[in-house]
Amino acid sequence: MIKIFNTLVLFLVSLNIYSIEVLEVEILDSYQLKKEFPGKLLPVEQSKLAFEIPGKIKFIYVDVGDKVEKGQILAKLDDREANARLNQAKASYELSVQVFDRFEDLRQQGHISIQDLDKARSDLTIAKSQYDFYKVKLEQTNLMSPYSGIIQSRFLDSGTVISQGIPILEIIDSNLSLIHISEPTRRRGMSDAGVCVKKKSGGGGGGGGGGG
């Protein structure tokens, strides 16, 4: 009887050790896998600003770190020569308008030929073009912000004589950022469902994590 009892206990213990757990397997259409990669957060727009004409810098109104708005005047050249040329062109244009109006009256009265009237019209067109040209030249003595942003660098100071195209300031767009993420070689070419970016506090760079 004792032997049968021991056998029964051993059988029950064996059943506990080799008990089977049934798991339900569900097939998913997609899954999420979180990975972290080093990266940089860079401005979408970053520009070095320069005057389109040569001259002497009269004023620089901003400095590094200043916030600026689109169309704001950031610096100015000495505009005395540009103003003088514009005034001269304006005077020539106004005179050409008067001459043309007078020639039109004379032509209607038959006192001048059609060739004289055409010459006056041609002179008026040339004078108008010169006037418009020097208006643009005066506008080019102002260095304007192409978009809203922050002054990143200042390369020159007031009083400097420059050639056209010499960088004066550098501006970055503070509203939008472009993310550059470095991925391991074995992951390149694999499509990701989305990217989640976390910007680190302090410092100019940001770290990013990609989800696939």
Side-chain angles (χ1 to χ4, degrees), residues 8-199:
L8 179 60
V9 171
L10 181 59
F11 177 73
L12 292 175
V13 171
S14 298
L15 287 179
N16 289 333
I17 293 176
Y18 295 103
S19 61
I20 299 174
E21 182 179 1
V22 179
L23 299 177
E24 182 180 355
V25 178
E26 181 180 358
I27 300 177
L28 302 177
D29 294 332
S30 62
Y31 69 95
Q32 291 185 347
L33 181 64
K34 182 179 179 181
K35 295 289 185 179
E36 292 189 358
F37 304 102
K40 293 182 179 180
L41 196 61
L42 303 175
V44 172
E45 294 186 287
Q46 182 171 358
S47 308
K48 291 183 178 180
L49 307 181
F51 287 102
E52 298 178 67
I53 57 175
K56 182 178 181 180
I57 300 176
K58 187 175 183 180
F59 298 113
I60 297 180
Y61 301 109
V62 295
D63 210 337
V64 175
D66 289 350
K67 292 183 178 181
V68 298
E69 300 296 328
K70 180 178 180 179
Q72 179 179 338
I73 298 177
L74 308 178
K76 186 173 184 62
L77 294 177
D78 187 340
D79 61 359
R80 289 175 295 178
E81 181 179 353
N83 261 315
R85 292 182 179 275
L86 178 61
N87 290 333
Q88 183 179 8
K90 181 181 179 182
S92 297
Y93 170 64
E94 291 175 346
L95 179 60
S96 296
V97 171
Q98 294 174 6
V99 170
F100 179 73
D101 290 342
R102 188 184 311 121
F103 272 43
E104 274 193 320
D105 293 338
L106 292 174
R107 175 57 187 167
Q108 290 176 358
Q109 298 171 14
H111 297 310
I112 63 171
S113 65
I114 187 65
Q115 289 81 7
D116 292 332
L117 182 60
D118 289 342
K119 176 65 167 56
R121 182 181 288 109
S122 176
D123 291 343
L124 175 60
T125 301
I126 294 173
K128 179 64 166 57
S129 298
Q130 288 290 316
Y131 183 37
D132 292 339
F133 175 79
Y134 285 113
K135 281 196 289 187
V136 172
K137 287 301 178 183
L138 182 61
E139 292 174 358
Q140 290 176 341
T141 62
N142 295 320
L143 184 63
M144 304 178 71
S145 177
Y147 47 81
S148 299
I150 297 176
I151 300 301
Q152 174 81 355
S153 304
R154 173 173 168 169
F155 304 111
L156 297 173
D157 293 315
S158 301
T160 306
V161 178
I162 59 168
S163 302
Q164 67 181 59
I166 299 297
I168 310 297
L169 300 165
E170 184 176 31
I171 182 176
I172 60 173
D173 185 351
S174 59
N175 297 321
L176 301 174
S177 297
L178 185 65
I179 304 157
H180 288 260
I181 297 177
S182 301
E183 292 186 284
T185 304
R186 61 185 178 84
R187 278 187 56 86
R188 292 177 185 171
M190 298 175 62
S191 60
D192 290 338
V195 176
C196 177
V197 177
K198 294 186 293 183
K199 184 178 180 181

